[in-house]
Amino acid sequence: MTASHSDSLVVLFGATAGAYGAKLGSDERELILLVWQVVDLQSKKVGTLHKSLVKADNLELSDQCREVSGLAPDGLSKAEPLDRVLQQFSQLVSSDLKLLGQSSYTLCTDGQLLVRQVLHPEASKKNFLLSDCFYSFYDLRKEFHVCYPNSAPVKDQTIKSMAEYIGLETDEPEEDFGVWQVKTMVAIIFSMLSETCITDCRFTDPETVKYKYETGPCSKSEAVDSETVIRARGLPWQSSDQDIARFFKGLNIAKGGVALCLNAQGRRNGEALVRFVNSEQRDLALERHKHHMGSRYIEVYKATGEEFLKIAGGTSNEVAQFLSKENQVIIRMRGLPFTATLEDVLGFLGPECPVTGGKEGLLFVKYPDGRPTGDAFVLFSCEEYAQNALKKHKEILGKRYIELFRSTAAEVQQVLNRYLSTPLIPTLPTPIIPVIPPPYTIATGSIRDCVRLRGLPYTAGIDDILEFMGDATADIKPHGVHMVLNQQGRPSGDAFIQMKSSDRAFLVAQKCHKKMMKDRYVEVFQCSGEEMNFVLMGGTLNRSGLSPPPCKLPCLSPPAYAAFQTATAVIPAEAALYQPQALLSTTRTPQASAAAPPTVTYYPAQAAQLYMNYTAYYPSPPVSPTTVGYIAAPPAAVAAAASATHTPMLPQPGALVRMQGLPYNTGMKEILSFFQGYQYAPDDYNGLIQLNDQARSVLQAPKEWVCL
C-alpha cells in the first residue's frame, strides 16, 4: 500500500502508559492509544478520524499519562492488544482510501519517536511483524522546517508551536486526547500545501526504517564519525549482532556496525560497540539506556570512532575476502584440534548445514608463525543452516568437543587482529635504572615507622596516594611506597608506606584514617617493617593482630618480566631460587662482543632472597623509584658478586629460561628430553636449576607485590 511518492498521508498520533512528548518511549512503557486520519494530498479531502485504545500487558499508568491523557486502567482493560489494533488499523485505512479514490499512502507522525522508539521496539519484544507501512514515514517536524526555514529548530518544535507559527488556533477544545493533535496536524499539512508555503514541499522524501541489519567488513582506514557510535554494556554473553540489532529495532545501524568486544582470553565480555547511520539515530539509541534485553537491562553510553575501529577495523586481505560474501550468517568454532583440516571441519558439519562456497567459506585462525589457534569461522547462506550447525555445539571432533557460537564480521576482525598481533616472544618495556642508586634497605624490625593503606580504589595510582597524604609526603622514605598486588597481578587495594620515623607514621595514621580517596574511604594503620613484610608474604594484619602467611599454598606464578638485553648475568645464590620468565641475551657477532664490553644485569645483594620472588619490575614515577630491580652494574661489582656467591657465569651466547607447570615427579632426563634439538648449557648441566622443597616453601605465598 506504500510508495516512494504517495497520493495520501495517514496522520498518526500515539501515546504510551509512561512518558509523553520528548521522552516518549524512553521508559519502555507500552502503547495505549492510537489516533489516525487519512488525508488526500491532491483533493485535500480527509477520511474518518479514528481513535483506538490499546490494551497493555501492564495496565498501571504513570501520573503524567493520567494527567495528560485522562485515561484510566478500567477503560484500557476492555481494549484489544496491539497486534489486533494494528490489523484493524490496516483494514480501516484501506476502506478510507477506497472512498477517497486513492491506492497508496505513507504515514505522517509528529517526530520520530512514535515509529522508531515505540512501535518497532514493542512489536519486536512481543514477537510480531509490523506491516510495510511502518518502515516508511514522514516526520512532520522536519517537513515543516523545510517548508518554513525560519521556524524553530526541529528538536524544539511541537504541534502547538507549529500551529502558532502559521497562525492556527491553538486552544485545545473539549475533545478527547489525541483527537485535537491529529486535527491540528492535518491543518498544518494543508497550510504547508497552500500557496503561502515558501518552498514547494510535496512530501517526497520519507524517513525509512531498515528491515534488517546488514553485515559487512570494516577497514581500519575508514573514517568513522564519533557522533554515530555508542557502547552497550551488560549484554548476555551469547548475544549475536542480530540480537543487538533487535534491541535497537527501529533505529538504522550502519552496515557492519555491530562490533562485539572480547576480553583478553578472546571471549565476549558483555559489551558491544554499535555504529549508526547518523548522529540523530545515535541520540535516539542513547535514550534506550537501561532498556531490557530479556531479563537483563542494557547500559548505553557514548563511544568514539577510534574505539569502534580498534574493535571492528581490519587490514587483512584474507579476512576481507572471507567477509566479501555479504548477508551470510557467521558461526565461530572454538576448540578445534590443531591437526584439523578443512575436510575434517566440513565432515563435522555434515550435509545438513552446507558451508557457503565449500572450503572458501571456512577461515582458520592462526598465529603469525602459522600455528593453528583452534578457532575457525564458518559462513552459512541462511539461518536454517546456521541453526543446524549450532545443534552440534559440544559434539566431538577427533578427541575434542567443539564449541559453536553465532559470530559477527567485527568479531572475525577482532579475533584475527588479536592473534596476528601476538608477538612470538612476549616482552615488556625494558627496565629500569641505568646506574646503581644510593644504598637503601627494605624495612625490617619492630619499629612502627610504616603505615598501611587499606581499601584503596583499584584505579588509584602513585599521584592519588601522594595527594591523599598531603603534607605528609615530605616524610616518606626514599623508595618507600609499596603497592600490593593480588594473585592475578592486579591492585589489591592495599599499600604500605615507610615513613622517616614512628612519630610521623602515627600522625599520618591519625590524620588520614577513613579519609576519602575518590569515592572510597581509606583505612590507615600504623605498623612496623616486620608486620609489613608478613603481609606482603601472605599474612594478614588488622586491629586483632598479626596472622602469619599460610604454610602450604599452591605455588604462584610471578608477573611477566621483561626480556632484558644482557650479555651475562651474575645471580646471587639466594635469588637463584626463582628466576624471571625470560633472561635473554641479544645475538651478537664475536667482533661486536669484543668491541664493546657487555653490561651486566644482577640483583642487589640486599633483599634478594625474599623479595625478588614477588616484585614486578616496572618503571615508577620519579618521586619513588623502584625498590628492587635489575640495575646495570660496573664490572667491579660483577666480579665482587661472583666471588661472593660462587655462582657460575652463564655462557655468553646463551639464555636462562624458566619452566612453569612441571609435574612434581619431573626429573632432569624428562626436562632434557623436552628440549631435544636445542643447544643447552654445558655437559655437566650446571645451567639446569631445579627447585628443592625448601626453595618451594619460599614461593608459596598468596600475594605478589610491587615496590614503587
Side-chain angles (χ1 to χ4, degrees):
M1 293 286 295
T2 60
S4 60
H5 176 59
S6 301
D7 300 321
S8 303
L9 299 178
V10 175
V11 179
L12 182 66
F13 178 83
T16 68
Y20 174 75
K23 289 295 183 180
L24 183 70
S26 63
D27 53 4
E28 287 190 286
R29 299 304 297 272
E30 296 169 277
L31 193 72
I32 59 171
L33 174 69
L34 279 179
V35 185
W36 70 90
Q37 188 173 28
V38 177
V39 178
D40 186 343
L41 295 178
Q42 295 180 351
S43 65
K44 296 185 179 180
K45 294 181 180 180
V46 297
T48 305
L49 191 146
H50 300 277
K51 177 178 178 179
S52 180
L53 297 179
V54 183
K55 183 179 180 180
D57 294 338
N58 182 5
L59 294 177
E60 182 181 353
L61 306 181
S62 68
D63 294 338
Q64 184 184 23
C65 177
R66 290 173 182 269
E67 179 182 353
V68 173
S69 69
L71 298 174
D74 294 340
L76 295 175
S77 63
K78 302 175 183 178
E80 297 285 349
L82 180 59
D83 54 345
R84 293 289 301 276
V85 171
L86 293 180
Q87 290 177 6
Q88 296 173 7
F89 167 84
S90 298
Q91 295 170 0
L92 293 172
V93 168
S94 299
S95 177
D96 289 344
L97 286 173
K98 289 180 181 179
L99 293 176
L100 294 173
Q102 299 297 337
S103 59
S104 63
Y105 71 92
T106 304
L107 297 179
C108 181
T109 61
D110 174 33
Q112 308 264 319
L113 302 182
L114 177 61
V115 174
R116 295 192 184 276
Q117 298 285 65
V118 178
L119 283 168
H120 278 281
E122 186 170 341
S124 176
K125 289 179 181 178
K126 294 182 177 179
N127 292 314
F128 66 85
L129 296 176
L130 293 174
S131 60
D132 292 346
C133 68
F134 293 100
Y135 289 86
S136 177
F137 68 99
Y138 289 108
D139 181 347
L140 182 59
R141 300 185 186 190
K142 289 185 177 180
E143 299 293 333
F144 186 86
H145 189 71
V146 171
C147 192
Y148 301 101
N150 295 326
S151 61
V154 173
K155 62 183 180 64
D156 298 329
Q157 288 175 349
T158 63
I159 296 176
K160 187 174 182 178
S161 68
M162 289 187 288
E164 289 177 345
Y165 185 84
I166 59 178
L168 295 178
E169 179 65 39
T170 57
D171 292 335
E172 297 186 30
E174 295 298 326
E175 291 182 315
D176 291 342
F177 176 70
V179 174
W180 178 87
Q181 283 82 355
V182 170
K183 287 183 176 181
T184 306
M185 290 168 68
V186 172
I188 292 171
I189 291 172
F190 286 155
S191 176
M192 293 166 59
L193 295 174
S194 69
E195 295 180 356
T196 59
C197 186
I198 297 175
T199 61
D200 184 16
C201 178
R202 294 289 299 173
F203 294 92
T204 56
D205 188 17
E207 299 283 322
T208 58
V209 180
K210 286 189 175 183
Y211 281 87
K212 68 175 186 176
Y213 167 66
E214 298 177 286
T215 62
C218 176
S219 172
K220 281 192 178 294
S221 60
E222 186 175 344
V224 177
D225 185 0
S226 293
E227 296 300 315
T228 64
V229 183
I230 62 94
R231 178 183 295 272
R233 295 176 55 186
L235 299 166
W237 65 267
Q238 70 273 30
S239 299
S240 67
D241 54 350
Q242 297 295 339
D243 296 323
I244 296 170
R246 186 176 181 182
F247 175 79
F248 290 107
K249 187 68 174 177
L251 307 180
N252 293 339
I253 298 175
K255 184 177 180 179
V258 177
L260 297 169
C261 301
L262 307 180
N263 60 18
Q265 290 73 41
R267 299 177 182 271
R268 296 172 189 172
N269 63 1
E271 296 188 10
L273 294 171
V274 186
R275 177 189 178 191
F276 294 89
V277 294
N278 54 43
S279 59
E280 181 184 29
Q281 304 287 305
R282 192 283 304 268
D283 292 341
L284 292 176
L286 292 172
E287 292 296 326
R288 300 197 187 182
H289 179 59
K290 292 196 174 181
H291 283 204
H292 287 77
M293 180 185 289
S295 60
R296 299 174 65 98
Y297 72 84
I298 309 302
E299 301 174 29
V300 183
Y301 304 100
K302 292 181 180 180
T304 65
E306 291 77 8
E307 290 176 309
F308 182 83
L309 286 176
K310 183 178 179 181
I311 299 298
T315 57
S316 170
N317 292 331
E318 183 182 12
V319 176
Q321 184 177 0
F322 176 77
L323 297 175
S324 62
K325 302 178 179 63
E326 298 178 359
N327 297 322
Q328 300 287 310
V329 183
I330 305 175
I331 298 296
R332 180 180 180 183
M333 303 181 69
R334 196 167 59 196
L336 292 169
F338 295 145
T339 57
T341 63
L342 295 172
E343 291 78 9
D344 295 333
V345 176
L346 292 175
F348 172 80
L349 295 172
E352 63 273 17
C353 38
V355 177
T356 301
K359 295 181 181 179
E360 295 181 0
L362 284 172
L363 177 66
F364 282 97
V365 183
K366 298 180 180 180
Y367 289 106
D369 58 356
R371 291 180 296 117
T373 64
D375 280 24
F377 292 94
V378 191
L379 296 178
F380 296 100
S381 59
C382 66
E383 186 67 30
E384 179 184 358
Y385 294 157
Q387 290 296 334
N388 290 338
L390 291 173
K391 292 177 183 177
K392 298 181 179 292
H393 179 61
K394 291 196 174 181
E395 288 190 7
I396 302 298
L397 174 59
K399 295 183 179 180
R400 299 178 64 105
Y401 72 85
I402 310 302
E403 297 176 295
L404 290 94
F405 308 96
R406 294 186 66 104
S407 188
T408 68
E411 185 174 24
V412 176
Q413 297 281 22
Q414 192 178 357
V415 171
L416 266 294
N417 291 345
R418 181 185 301 276
Y419 282 113
L420 290 177
S421 62
T422 303
L424 297 181
I425 301 178
T427 59
L428 289 174
T430 54
I432 296 285
I433 304 172
V435 295
I436 296 180
Y440 56 86
T441 59
I442 297 294
T444 57
S446 58
I447 300 177
R448 299 175 64 81
D449 57 353
C450 302
V451 291
R452 180 188 184 187
L453 276 58
R454 188 171 68 182
L456 295 169
Y458 294 130
T459 58
I462 183 70
D463 294 334
D464 300 308
I465 293 178
L466 297 179
E467 181 181 355
F468 173 80
M469 295 189 62
D471 297 338
T473 54
D475 298 319
I476 299 176
K477 284 185 178 180
H479 324 293
V481 181
H482 308 272
M483 301 286 288
V484 182
L485 306 181
N486 62 16
Q487 297 181 10
Q488 290 74 39
R490 301 190 182 101
S492 66
D494 282 17
F496 285 91
I497 300 177
Q498 294 175 257
M499 307 301 293
K500 291 182 178 179
S501 68
S502 58
D503 294 339
R504 298 297 182 183
F506 175 79
L507 292 175
V508 169
Q510 292 293 318
K511 178 181 178 181
C512 298
H513 183 58
K514 291 195 175 182
K515 180 181 173 182
M516 298 298 294
M517 179 185 294
K518 297 184 177 179
D519 58 344
R520 301 186 60 168
Y521 73 84
V522 179
E523 297 177 295
V524 183
F525 306 107
Q526 184 182 10
C527 65
S528 66
E530 181 181 9
E531 291 170 333
M532 180 187 80
N533 293 332
F534 263 79
V535 173
L536 294 179
M537 290 301 295
T540 58
L541 173 64
N542 50 42
R543 293 189 179 275
S544 302
L546 182 67
S547 300
C551 300
K552 297 182 179 180
L553 290 175
C555 186
L556 302 175
S557 302
Y561 302 133
F564 298 96
Q565 308 299 323
T566 57
T568 352
V570 176
I571 305 174
E574 299 88 350
L577 298 174
Y578 195 23
Q579 301 306 325
Q581 289 178 336
L583 187 59
L584 306 177
S585 62
T586 54
T587 304
R588 295 188 297 273
T589 60
Q591 292 81 358
S593 300
T599 358
V600 179
T601 298
Y602 78 109
Y603 296 100
Q606 298 169 347
Q609 178 178 359
L610 186 61
Y611 306 101
M612 194 57 57
N613 305 322
Y614 309 99
T615 303
Y617 298 89
Y618 299 110
S620 302
V623 66
S624 183
T626 305
T627 302
V628 182
Y630 289 92
I631 302 168
V638 175
S643 60
T645 59
H646 305 288
T647 305
M649 303 287 286
L650 291 177
Q652 180 154 334
L656 178 66
V657 297
R658 173 177 173 268
M659 300 178 67
Q660 291 181 255
L662 291 172
Y664 285 105
N665 58 355
T666 301
M668 188 176 297
K669 181 179 179 181
E670 287 80 4
I671 296 176
L672 296 177
S673 177
F674 177 82
F675 286 106
Q676 185 176 1
Y678 294 87
Q679 184 177 359
Y680 34 79
D683 294 338
D684 58 357
Y685 309 130
N686 286 334
L688 186 60
I689 303 173
Q690 288 186 290
L691 303 183
N692 55 27
D693 293 337
Q694 180 181 3
R696 289 185 186 278
S697 65
V698 177
L699 306 181
Q700 293 169 345
K703 294 181 181 178
E704 300 165 352
W705 58 279
V706 57
C707 296
L708 298 176

